[in-house]
Short mmCIF file of all heavy atoms in Angstrom, two decimals:
data_model
loop_
_atom_site.label_atom_id
_atom_site.label_comp_id
_atom_site.label_asym_id
_atom_site.label_seq_id
_atom_site.Cartn_x
_atom_site.Cartn_y
_atom_site.Cartn_z
N THR C 32 -134.64 116.10 71.38
CA THR C 32 -134.01 117.43 71.17
C THR C 32 -133.65 117.56 69.71
O THR C 32 -132.94 116.68 69.12
CB THR C 32 -132.78 117.57 72.01
OG1 THR C 32 -133.08 117.41 73.38
CG2 THR C 32 -132.30 118.98 71.87
N GLN C 33 -134.10 118.65 69.11
CA GLN C 33 -133.76 118.91 67.71
C GLN C 33 -132.87 120.17 67.58
O GLN C 33 -133.08 121.17 68.33
CB GLN C 33 -135.04 119.08 66.87
CG GLN C 33 -135.78 117.80 66.75
CD GLN C 33 -136.96 117.92 65.79
OE1 GLN C 33 -138.13 117.81 66.11
NE2 GLN C 33 -136.58 118.25 64.47
N SER C 34 -131.94 120.16 66.68
CA SER C 34 -131.10 121.36 66.44
C SER C 34 -130.81 121.57 64.93
O SER C 34 -130.75 120.49 64.19
CB SER C 34 -129.82 121.28 67.22
OG SER C 34 -129.03 120.12 66.77
N PRO C 35 -130.68 122.83 64.50
CA PRO C 35 -130.99 123.95 65.25
C PRO C 35 -132.52 124.22 65.31
O PRO C 35 -133.25 123.45 64.78
CB PRO C 35 -130.23 125.05 64.36
CG PRO C 35 -130.47 124.51 62.96
CD PRO C 35 -130.25 123.04 63.12
N THR C 36 -132.90 125.23 66.01
CA THR C 36 -134.32 125.51 66.16
C THR C 36 -134.83 126.28 64.91
O THR C 36 -135.95 126.12 64.48
CB THR C 36 -134.65 126.30 67.43
OG1 THR C 36 -133.85 127.45 67.44
CG2 THR C 36 -134.36 125.48 68.67
N HIS C 37 -133.98 127.07 64.38
CA HIS C 37 -134.29 127.87 63.20
C HIS C 37 -133.11 127.89 62.29
O HIS C 37 -131.90 127.84 62.72
CB HIS C 37 -134.65 129.33 63.54
CG HIS C 37 -135.90 129.50 64.35
ND1 HIS C 37 -135.89 129.36 65.75
CD2 HIS C 37 -137.17 129.74 64.01
CE1 HIS C 37 -137.12 129.58 66.19
NE2 HIS C 37 -137.92 129.78 65.14
N LEU C 38 -133.42 127.95 60.94
CA LEU C 38 -132.33 127.89 60.03
C LEU C 38 -132.80 128.59 58.72
O LEU C 38 -133.97 128.39 58.29
CB LEU C 38 -131.97 126.39 59.67
CG LEU C 38 -130.65 126.03 59.00
CD1 LEU C 38 -129.52 126.60 59.67
CD2 LEU C 38 -130.61 124.55 58.87
N ILE C 39 -131.95 129.38 58.09
CA ILE C 39 -132.27 129.99 56.85
C ILE C 39 -131.18 129.59 55.86
O ILE C 39 -129.94 129.68 56.11
CB ILE C 39 -132.24 131.57 56.93
CG1 ILE C 39 -133.37 132.02 57.91
CG2 ILE C 39 -132.51 132.17 55.58
CD1 ILE C 39 -133.33 133.52 58.16
N LYS C 40 -131.67 129.05 54.70
CA LYS C 40 -130.76 128.55 53.67
C LYS C 40 -131.20 129.17 52.31
O LYS C 40 -132.31 129.57 52.19
CB LYS C 40 -130.82 127.04 53.52
CG LYS C 40 -130.13 126.27 54.76
CD LYS C 40 -128.67 126.43 54.67
CE LYS C 40 -127.91 125.44 55.37
NZ LYS C 40 -126.44 125.57 55.26
N THR C 41 -130.22 129.11 51.37
CA THR C 41 -130.48 129.60 50.04
C THR C 41 -130.90 128.47 49.13
O THR C 41 -130.29 127.37 49.28
CB THR C 41 -129.25 130.33 49.48
OG1 THR C 41 -128.92 131.42 50.42
CG2 THR C 41 -129.50 130.92 48.15
N ARG C 42 -131.72 128.72 48.20
CA ARG C 42 -132.16 127.72 47.24
C ARG C 42 -130.89 127.12 46.59
O ARG C 42 -129.97 127.80 46.15
CB ARG C 42 -133.01 128.40 46.16
CG ARG C 42 -133.70 127.39 45.22
CD ARG C 42 -134.62 128.10 44.30
NE ARG C 42 -134.07 129.34 43.66
CZ ARG C 42 -134.75 130.13 42.92
NH1 ARG C 42 -136.04 129.92 42.63
NH2 ARG C 42 -134.18 131.12 42.31
N GLY C 43 -130.98 125.78 46.48
CA GLY C 43 -129.76 125.08 45.87
C GLY C 43 -128.78 124.54 46.87
O GLY C 43 -128.06 123.60 46.60
N GLN C 44 -128.86 125.08 48.07
CA GLN C 44 -127.92 124.58 49.14
C GLN C 44 -128.32 123.26 49.66
O GLN C 44 -129.40 122.71 49.38
CB GLN C 44 -127.82 125.65 50.22
CG GLN C 44 -126.97 126.90 49.90
CD GLN C 44 -126.74 127.82 51.11
OE1 GLN C 44 -127.71 128.14 51.86
NE2 GLN C 44 -125.53 128.24 51.26
N GLN C 45 -127.50 122.74 50.61
CA GLN C 45 -127.75 121.54 51.26
C GLN C 45 -127.89 121.85 52.77
O GLN C 45 -127.25 122.83 53.25
CB GLN C 45 -126.62 120.51 51.04
CG GLN C 45 -126.72 119.16 51.78
CD GLN C 45 -126.08 119.14 53.06
OE1 GLN C 45 -125.21 119.94 53.43
NE2 GLN C 45 -126.43 118.17 53.93
N VAL C 46 -128.69 121.03 53.51
CA VAL C 46 -128.92 121.31 54.90
C VAL C 46 -128.90 119.89 55.67
O VAL C 46 -129.38 118.89 55.16
CB VAL C 46 -130.22 122.01 55.16
CG1 VAL C 46 -131.41 121.20 54.87
CG2 VAL C 46 -130.25 122.56 56.57
N THR C 47 -128.46 119.96 56.89
CA THR C 47 -128.51 118.76 57.79
C THR C 47 -129.16 119.20 59.05
O THR C 47 -128.74 120.12 59.71
CB THR C 47 -127.06 118.28 58.10
OG1 THR C 47 -126.47 117.84 56.88
CG2 THR C 47 -127.19 117.14 59.02
#
Side-chain angles (χ1 to χ4, degrees):
Chain C
T32 305
Q33 292 187 241
S34 62
T36 54
H37 295 83
L38 196 55
I39 300 175
K40 289 289 206 178
T41 303
R42 189 172 51 183
Q44 284 188 315
Q45 177 267 343
V46 70
T47 298

